[in-house]
Amino acid sequence: MSRLVVIDSQEFGREEGSLQGEMPVATLTRLHDLLTDTGGSLVFHLDGRRAAGGRSQLLLAVDGVLSLLCQRCLEAYEYPLHLRSLLEFIGSDEDLTQEELEDDAKDFLPHQRNLDVGVLIEDEILLTLPTAPRHEECALPGSRAAPATVSPFAVLTGLQGKVD
């Protein structure tokens, strides 16, 4: 998706629209500082539907792999992205109930007549990324080349006979 795609969030949900495609990682400029490589692309699927209360909803799915920087070893970390978001649009004068505010299954956004799909996808990716990405197992930088560490208590074994 290298071209700008804009939808009306209310109409897209009302008409149960569907949009899918690929988005080059290089176009996600707000992610660049977090990435070690901007190559590749992500696959997205956006479906509109009507909620029980008549509000418009968008179901967003984004899949792919992002090359993040491991915060422990400072090497590239291939992060599998499997994003699923349910977004419900509300009017600017609409109030949410306490039950709706506590519902973690969906997020509420104000209705937008000119919703940039690329910006929406990038926003959702930024919200889902780990704050400190790291491999399951890795070493600190420089520790691979370091010799095997000697216990700081090894010196004490030589002192055992001298203390008497």
Side-chain angles (χ1 to χ4, degrees):
M1 187 174 101
S2 57
R3 60 180 169 76
L4 180 69
V5 176
V6 177
I7 62 171
D8 180 322
S9 61
Q10 192 72 23
E11 291 299 314
F12 196 82
R14 185 178 298 129
E15 295 173 3
E16 297 183 353
S18 183
L19 184 63
Q20 59 188 6
E22 285 192 30
M23 175 174 275
V25 174
T27 63
L28 304 171
T29 56
R30 291 182 290 157
L31 291 175
H32 285 190
D33 289 345
L34 306 171
L35 302 174
T36 60
D37 181 16
T38 58
S41 61
L42 303 173
V43 176
F44 73 91
H45 194 93
L46 187 66
D47 286 319
R49 68 181 196 179
R50 298 219 22 114
R55 294 181 183 145
S56 290
Q57 291 182 332
L58 296 180
L59 295 168
L60 175 64
V62 183
D63 293 296
V65 176
L66 294 173
S67 184
L68 301 177
L69 180 67
C70 174
Q71 297 298 302
R72 187 180 298 141
C73 69
L74 303 178
E75 301 279 330
Y77 167 55
E78 298 301 311
Y79 179 76
L81 181 67
H82 302 290
L83 169 68
R84 302 294 180 265
S85 292
L86 175 59
L87 307 168
E88 190 165 310
F89 292 90
I90 60 172
S92 58
D93 58 345
E94 233 178 307
D95 288 328
L96 297 174
T97 65
Q98 188 63 32
E99 185 178 299
E100 289 174 322
L101 290 171
E102 293 174 358
D103 185 2
D104 289 336
K106 59 186 165 191
D107 292 316
F108 294 93
L109 296 173
H111 163 68
Q112 297 178 33
R113 290 194 186 280
N114 297 309
L115 177 63
D116 184 334
V117 173
V119 171
L120 175 69
I121 291 171
E122 192 169 18
D123 287 345
E124 291 298 310
I125 291 171
L126 284 167
L127 290 170
T128 196
L129 289 179
T131 54
R134 57 181 180 241
H135 297 103
E136 287 292 325
E137 292 184 30
C138 61
L140 293 172
S143 65
R144 292 186 188 134
T149 58
V150 177
S151 170
F153 300 106
V155 173
L156 297 177
T157 60
L159 295 176
Q160 186 177 16
K162 297 179 183 178
V163 176
D164 297 334

